[in-house]
Amino acid sequence: MNRAHRALAVAAVIGAGLAAGFLSYRLQSPRPLLPARSALAIEPRTPDATDQPPAVPDSIPDLRLPDLSGTPRSLRSFTGRPLIVNFWATWCAPCRHEIPLLRDLRHRYRSDRLEVVGIAIDFTTAVRDYLRSTPIDYPLLIGEQDGLAAAEQFGMRTVLPFSVFADSQGQIVALKVGELHVEEADFILGEIAALDARKIDRAAARQQIEAQLRELAVERAKAQQND
């Protein structure tokens, strides 16, 4: 590769990293995202000229979904502590890949009372089958068809995975689209700890998270280009 072509390649990688950063945190300017292929075989509706993406709420919405036993659970019942709400499915490879990280985060941040809740946009039978080979020790709620409506309450369409981070007041601090990485999660949870300790305000936490996620996305893109 000559110098000009290499410079173009590096520029493309950096551009991809910046795009990932914008998608990683979209509380300020939500945008429509392409729907993912789902095992539920749901056809996305065709947007028209007036179609607007749903807004990302300020706080955890009041929604109820069944757990694996079929018992309805309120998502707000998990608030009062730092919270990660992870939307996933058994048929989604990046979703499966980040499960060990979510388990680890729940254990490492136990002193902060962190809770992780997985919302599966999938069939109950598929989730139960998956758990036979991959144990998950955090609470799971099963969306099936209702999972898509639940995702829209967070300002998202059918894209997986995505993770919502909320502080102990149930206020949404960050929304990460795509597979979660450990350095991203640790930074966001650190900002939430500072927010809960009243060392920073929510606006400052969001700005710092946005800047850090963009920087991390660029670093990952450069590293991938060099491999």
Side-chain angles (χ1 to χ4, degrees):
M1 181 182 294
N2 63 36
R3 183 175 300 177
H5 287 172
R6 186 174 185 83
L8 287 173
V10 171
V13 166
I14 293 174
L18 289 173
F22 281 113
L23 285 176
S24 295
Y25 183 80
R26 50 182 294 272
L27 290 177
Q28 304 302 327
S29 55
R31 66 194 68 196
L33 298 172
L34 293 177
R37 291 291 181 184
S38 167
L40 295 175
I42 296 171
E43 290 298 324
R45 59 186 173 83
T46 302
D48 58 32
T50 62
D51 190 35
Q52 296 294 323
V56 178
D58 289 328
S59 60
I60 296 295
D62 185 16
L63 63 89
R64 297 174 70 86
L65 291 170
D67 59 20
L68 279 169
S69 69
T71 303
R73 300 286 302 274
S74 167
L75 191 57
R76 285 187 177 173
S77 69
F78 296 101
T79 58
R81 62 206 309 186
L83 179 66
I84 301 175
V85 181
N86 175 255
F87 280 77
W88 71 292
T90 62
W91 43 264
C92 164
C95 303
R96 297 193 302 267
H97 190 258
E98 68 183 1
I99 286 172
L101 171 59
L102 294 169
R103 290 193 308 235
D104 178 65
L105 290 171
R106 188 171 185 251
H107 286 267
R108 285 200 291 114
Y109 287 89
R110 186 174 312 210
S111 61
D112 293 334
R113 300 179 61 244
L114 172 69
E115 186 58 286
V116 178
V117 178
I119 296 182
I121 303 182
D122 211 331
F123 293 110
T124 303
T125 53
V127 175
R128 285 177 176 161
D129 288 344
Y130 182 74
L131 293 177
R132 290 191 180 99
S133 60
T134 307
I136 294 178
D137 60 358
Y138 48 83
L140 293 177
L141 304 181
I142 311 300
E144 294 198 349
Q145 301 285 355
D146 292 337
L148 298 174
E152 287 207 351
Q153 289 196 49
F154 283 96
M156 295 294 297
R157 299 260 167 83
T158 47
V159 150
L160 293 177
F162 72 88
S163 298
V164 180
F165 290 76
D167 63 18
S168 61
Q169 304 301 312
Q171 298 295 304
I172 294 175
V173 180
L175 191 157
K176 168 67 197 313
V177 178
E179 183 179 336
L180 183 64
H181 299 274
V182 62
E183 64 274 12
E184 296 169 332
D186 284 337
F187 187 86
I188 295 171
L189 292 172
E191 292 297 295
I192 287 176
L195 181 58
D196 283 341
R198 299 185 179 181
K199 295 180 179 178
I200 57 174
D201 60 28
R202 192 165 293 110
R206 288 175 173 175
Q207 289 173 1
Q208 290 169 187
I209 290 169
E210 179 180 10
Q212 182 69 8
L213 292 190
R214 288 182 182 180
E215 182 177 333
L216 290 171
V218 171
E219 289 176 359
R220 280 196 305 276
K222 286 181 177 178
Q224 291 170 2
Q225 192 271 338
N226 290 329
D227 288 342

